[in-house]
Amino acid sequence: MRVKCVLCDKLEKIEDGSPLAKRLRNRPIHTYMCADCNKRIADRTEERKASGNFSTFRQAVQEDTW
Ligand SMILES: [Zn+2]
């Protein structure tokens, strides 16, 4: 089936029998993102997670010092 990336409008073809195609067919609301955009989102999420971990870590260190 053909899918269109919701972020960059790139058209891609995915296997009809793939788990992704099944998911998109069961939930039309579920939007498709191409690999590039997926990676971009994942990178951003990782960055946020990393900075979140960092502040948690600093807080823990400060609590130890006090
Ligand atoms: Zn895309």
Side-chain angles (χ1 to χ4, degrees):
M1 71 189 272
R2 285 179 69 184
V3 288
K4 191 168 141 190
C5 173
V6 68
L7 290 185
C8 65
D9 283 352
K10 187 160 86 180
L11 281 169
E12 291 199 332
K13 230 174 135 182
I14 57 173
E15 289 289 328
D16 274 351
S18 71
L20 179 62
K22 269 181 220 162
R23 218 185 313 159
L24 287 168
R25 234 177 326 216
N26 288 341
R27 304 187 204 183
I29 286 170
H30 210 95
T31 44
Y32 173 79
M33 268 190 282
C34 70
D36 283 352
C37 293
N38 252 325
K39 195 185 175 306
R40 226 180 314 156
I41 300 283
D43 282 352
R44 225 176 291 167
T45 310
E46 283 303 310
E47 264 170 43
R48 212 178 305 155
K49 230 189 285 173
S51 60
N53 283 344
F54 184 63
S55 62
T56 310
F57 174 71
R58 272 179 63 176
Q59 254 170 16
V61 169
Q62 275 171 0
E63 274 162 27
D64 270 347
T65 322
W66 282 103

